Amino acid sequence: MIEQATNESLSANFVTAKKSRPSGFTVWFTGLPAAGKSTLAQLLRDRLDDIYDGYVEILDGDEIRKGLSKDLGLSKEDREEHARRVSYVAKVLSRNGVVAIVALISPYRKSREFAKELIGADRFVEVFVKASLETCRRRDPKGLYAKAEKGEITNLTGLQEPYEEPLNPDVVLDTERFGPNECVEQLVSYLLKKGLLSRAYTV
């Protein structure tokens, strides 16, 4: 878990900062289905919109599959291609002064390393949304685990397909131990300490 020694003072200043425009970076949430990626992405956007009004965009894996990746399936090759496309969109957004919040299972380390290299390490934050398989199965908001257990789907990440946990993520958010708002607070504190939010912080 990230260090929280100065969370309170940093966050207090963050909340009271005036609206500004970010320098552009990408926050990449990865984790098992139902780990909490989409929930945290939405909460983070709500939080950053307080400052970066209009310069924050969520790239949700399921939504992008309806458009940009509509032609792709769930094979390993297609999943990698899906992540590659999302990486390029995130790069363009970040380069143009937008905070790109990616919520994508992105099960392979190779894909996430590609994204980091493409976007640039100084603009990329890998966030591992941590939750055990049992917890994710119990949550199951989309019914995916239930379908897998019935044999209706055969390629669910973490259950039937591999998920490669990050070896050195920038941030680990344990959604079993902490609630969504606590997790976002931890992430915001990290972004402040890393300097990615320093512009707004100093306004």
Side-chain angles (χ1 to χ4, degrees):
M1 189 55 60
I2 62 174
E3 186 179 346
Q4 301 179 60
T6 58
N7 281 5
E8 290 187 5
S9 58
L10 289 174
S11 296
N13 284 313
F14 176 81
V15 169
T16 57
K18 297 177 181 178
K19 291 187 184 300
S20 182
R21 181 171 182 173
S23 57
F25 59 91
T26 295
V27 177
W28 190 288
F29 289 102
T30 178
L32 290 171
K37 299 180 296 299
S38 295
T39 298
L40 296 180
Q42 184 61 56
L43 285 174
L44 179 62
R45 181 170 71 175
D46 293 345
R47 184 72 182 275
L48 297 186
D49 268 344
D50 287 342
I51 292 179
Y52 301 139
D53 188 24
Y55 296 104
V56 183
E57 186 65 46
I58 291 179
L59 301 176
D60 183 87
D62 290 341
E63 289 301 314
I64 291 181
R65 275 192 174 276
K66 296 176 182 176
L68 187 62
S69 295
K70 194 174 182 179
D71 58 318
L72 299 177
L74 296 173
S75 67
K76 182 176 186 294
E77 292 74 20
D78 281 359
R79 289 175 190 267
E80 289 179 331
E81 174 61 16
H82 181 44
R84 189 188 69 82
R85 294 178 186 181
V86 173
S87 299
Y88 271 97
V89 175
K91 174 189 174 183
V92 172
L93 291 173
S94 297
R95 188 178 61 196
N96 286 280
V98 175
V99 178
I101 303 173
V102 176
L104 194 68
I105 295 171
S106 47
Y108 304 111
R109 293 189 189 108
K110 180 180 176 183
S111 296
R112 301 192 297 266
E113 290 167 0
F114 171 81
K116 182 176 183 177
E117 182 175 350
L118 182 71
I119 295 166
D122 58 331
R123 292 177 181 267
F124 184 86
V125 178
E126 185 180 46
V127 181
F128 177 36
V129 182
K130 182 180 178 182
S132 68
L133 180 59
E134 286 309 308
T135 294
C136 293
R137 293 173 76 165
R138 186 172 62 253
R139 293 173 178 166
D140 202 16
K142 299 177 182 176
L144 297 176
Y145 290 95
K147 289 181 179 179
E149 289 167 358
K150 294 176 182 175
E152 296 175 3
I153 59 176
T154 59
N155 46 22
L156 184 63
T157 298
L159 193 63
Q160 298 150 317
E161 295 290 332
Y163 175 75
E164 299 172 355
E165 290 187 7
L167 296 176
N168 295 294
D170 297 298
V171 181
V172 178
L173 300 180
D174 188 336
T175 61
E176 290 185 353
R177 293 184 58 200
F178 301 98
N181 288 316
E182 291 175 288
C183 287
V184 169
E185 185 70 16
Q186 292 164 11
L187 178 55
V188 166
S189 294
Y190 173 84
L191 297 174
L192 284 164
K193 292 172 68 175
K194 189 175 174 65
L196 290 169
L197 299 179
S198 59
R199 183 173 178 177
Y201 174 66
T202 56
V203 169

